[in-house]
Amino acid sequence: MRLRATILQTPEADTLEVLEDQVIDVEGDGTITSVAPAGMNNTDGAISLPPDTVLIPGLVDTHVHASQWLQLGTGLDLPLDEWLFAYTFPLEARYADTDFARRVWVDMVPRLLAHGTTTAVYYTSIHRPATLALAETCVGYGQRALVGRVAMDHPDGTPEWYRDDDAGSAIEASARSVEEIRQVVGNHGLVEPIITPRFIPACTDELLTGLGQLAADTGVRVQTHCSENQWEHDYVLDRHGCTDTESLDRFGLLRPNTVLAHATHLTAEDRAKIASSRAGVSHCPLSNVYFSERVFAARAALDAGIPVGLGTDIAGGPEPSLLAQCGHAVGSSRLLEREAGVQATGRRIDIVAAFWMATVGGATMLDLPVGLLAEGRRFDAVAINLNAAGVGSPFEHPDGEDPGHADRANNRWSRLFEQIVRRTRPADITSVWVDGRRVVDNR
Ligand code: GUN
Ligand code: FE
């Protein structure tokens, strides 16, 4: 495939790259073989995007509870520990019914694709068949995904009507889930399993030990919640005498590409440990408003060398759009700056850094060849029509004015980029590709 378009992307957390009128060559398997300015020799057979349409890399949502899709936007009146028992565990228990699960998955996956989420890192429920069904649904709709059966067996941290029977059966179920996802969908390369201890309060030490061993044996990535709020942080200090990060490390769960959701209560030592383990953080800024007392110190994490991705945390976060999380990441960093009581602009995350997290940051944390439209990466991309403007007035397009003033033109691109990130809705998204395949077509 050969596509001709203008690309907006963020190779570094402080760099907006505007590549006007490029030709992108994509191999049959979805790998980008070249990105070069359109010229005399490379435009043959190219499909041109309309001039009012730009291309961005596909979005990587690093934290999604697929099984909570039906309560998206509701039930945020309780603190985390009560919310789990009152709303979330009863809903997740329903995924024992695999037909029910399938009906949810076929609603959710195409909707997330329509928001530009080309990669999603999913928690399902404790149920193996529902988990496998999500993996199959992702392959069917062409969404790149990591899919994890939730492991949880602790008699205090879970209700007796929704938990694994015991540590042994939980480890066995997670191992089988990894195996069957690999067997059923592994050859597509699009969907992989991920080992998913829910969080320390929901897991016995025996389960955490077994899942650490499973990760070591299989090389499969791990995801969990880490130091999400004061209650959870204190619980782990009390039970294990150390922070979540330290505890997860002792159980062998802090590994390269481990996804730690929230991480709002990290110490400087935690940050150093996460960085040296090559694990990463899924920053879920909107969810943190509801369940954490603190803003995640994203700048401190980046400065410590931690890869940071963005997450919606559906349904702890009530908004399915990862682009919307970019705005929340910017906004919450401003609260952090105020909290410091000084002009601590060093804590700021701007829209470019936030978009970097939503693309390159997530891809780096997961070690997936996506996040940028560049040679050697997979072609996961989102086309945005600047004149569709689902909400509000049209985007300001930089074409045509002051062609000789590069600085002013660049400035206009950066303002346009900010508008695109903050205001794009599914109605503005005309096409989405994953692995070179068009999976959303609203032309
Ligand atoms: N901690 C343990 N389970 C959950 C969950 O489902 N959502 C959030 N936000 N935090 C959790
Ligand atoms: Fe979560």
Side-chain angles (χ1 to χ4, degrees):
M1 178 177 61
R2 173 171 276 185
L3 205 66
R4 186 169 172 178
T6 290
I7 299 168
L8 298 175
Q9 58 185 4
T10 51
E12 309 291 338
D14 60 0
T15 308
L16 170 63
E17 182 175 67
V18 182
L19 300 171
E20 291 192 63
D21 197 17
Q22 300 289 301
V23 170
I24 306 156
D25 281 310
V26 182
E27 244 169 37
D29 75 342
T31 304
I32 299 170
T33 51
S34 99
V35 178
M40 305 277 273
N41 318 320
N42 65 356
T43 54
D44 277 2
I47 302 162
S48 293
L49 292 194
D52 59 355
T53 297
V54 296
L55 205 58
I56 63 170
L59 305 166
V60 182
D61 188 340
T62 58
H63 190 57
V64 185
H65 293 271
S67 54
Q68 297 170 20
W69 177 248
L70 294 183
Q71 69 178 7
L72 183 68
T74 68
L76 296 167
D77 54 319
L78 297 174
L80 175 63
D81 48 331
E82 294 174 36
W83 173 83
L84 286 168
F85 282 77
Y87 303 128
T88 302
F89 293 154
L91 174 57
E92 291 190 16
R94 295 176 63 190
Y95 290 78
D97 176 350
T98 310
D99 288 335
F100 167 75
R102 277 206 191 87
R103 290 201 298 278
V104 176
W105 305 154
V106 300
D107 183 65
M108 177 192 69
V109 171
R111 284 185 202 271
L112 292 181
L113 282 170
H115 278 91
T117 299
T118 51
T119 300
V121 186
Y122 288 120
Y123 287 59
T124 58
S125 60
I126 65 172
H127 309 101
R128 236 179 351 97
T131 302
L132 184 60
L134 177 57
E136 290 169 335
T137 305
C138 292
V139 169
Y141 284 97
Q143 186 180 47
R144 194 182 299 285
L146 300 179
V147 177
R149 185 198 85 88
V150 176
M152 46 192 274
D153 71 329
H154 200 289
D156 300 333
T158 64
E160 51 90 27
W161 41 266
Y162 180 56
R163 72 166 68 118
D164 288 307
D165 289 341
D166 51 51
S169 65
I171 295 160
E172 157 86 15
S174 290
R176 283 184 63 188
S177 185
V178 162
E179 246 337 280
E180 64 194 2
I181 290 173
R182 281 181 157 179
Q183 273 168 15
V184 172
V185 302
N187 54 343
H188 292 82
L190 210 56
V191 178
E192 296 177 61
I194 183 164
I195 294 167
T196 307
R198 184 172 204 121
F199 66 157
I200 293 169
C203 299
T204 61
D205 289 5
E206 191 184 346
L207 176 54
L208 295 167
T209 304
L211 294 181
Q213 191 59 50
L214 182 63
D217 291 346
T218 58
V220 168
R221 297 177 187 82
V222 172
Q223 65 177 343
T224 192
H225 297 87
C226 174
S227 296
E228 181 170 0
N229 67 9
Q230 195 68 51
W231 159 75
E232 195 266 336
H233 181 68
D234 289 345
Y235 170 92
V236 176
L237 284 176
D238 189 47
R239 180 170 138 197
H240 289 149
C242 61
T243 63
D244 284 45
T245 302
E246 172 65 30
S247 173
L248 292 168
D249 192 31
R250 289 180 192 171
F251 288 110
L253 293 162
L254 199 67
R255 296 167 50 83
N257 316 123
T258 290
V259 180
L260 303 170
H262 307 288
T264 46
H265 289 60
L266 297 183
T267 64
E269 296 77 57
D270 289 338
R271 280 193 284 269
K273 193 174 275 287
I274 293 168
S276 65
S277 306
R278 292 192 290 122
V281 172
S282 173
H283 177 23
C284 305
L286 183 57
S287 170
N288 290 346
V289 170
Y290 293 98
F291 291 139
S292 306
E293 300 74 19
R294 287 194 199 162
V295 172
F296 171 61
R299 185 55 70 185
L302 293 174
D303 289 349
I306 297 172
V308 178
L310 279 189
T312 56
D313 192 24
I314 292 166
E319 161 63 66
S321 162
L322 197 68
L323 278 181
Q325 300 306 317
C326 294
H328 292 299
V330 172
S332 63
S333 81
R334 300 290 285 272
L335 290 175
L336 203 57
E337 173 179 317
R338 306 260 159 75
E339 213 173 71
V342 288
Q343 284 293 51
T345 50
R347 297 180 180 205
R348 251 180 215 195
I349 296 295
D350 64 8
I351 212 77
V352 168
F355 186 80
W356 178 90
M357 291 182 203
T359 53
V360 179
T364 304
M365 166 164 71
L366 298 165
D367 193 24
L368 289 174
V370 298
L372 273 185
L373 300 175
E375 189 184 332
R377 304 228 181 188
R378 317 296 289 191
F379 186 70
D380 289 12
V382 178
I384 299 170
N385 179 349
L386 305 180
N387 288 317
V391 175
S393 58
F395 295 109
E396 183 191 351
H397 195 280
D399 261 11
E401 290 167 47
D402 292 321
H405 296 81
D407 284 351
R408 287 176 71 178
N410 283 341
N411 192 23
R412 278 201 304 281
W413 271 118
S414 70
R415 284 190 296 145
L416 178 65
F417 179 71
E418 193 167 1
Q419 284 188 308
I420 290 168
V421 174
R422 288 188 190 275
R423 298 204 0 238
T424 294
R425 302 293 182 273
D428 307 305
I429 293 176
T430 49
S431 293
V432 177
W433 293 263
V434 178
D435 239 13
R437 175 180 162 210
R438 200 192 298 258
V439 295
V440 172
D441 188 353
N442 291 328
R443 287 170 297 168

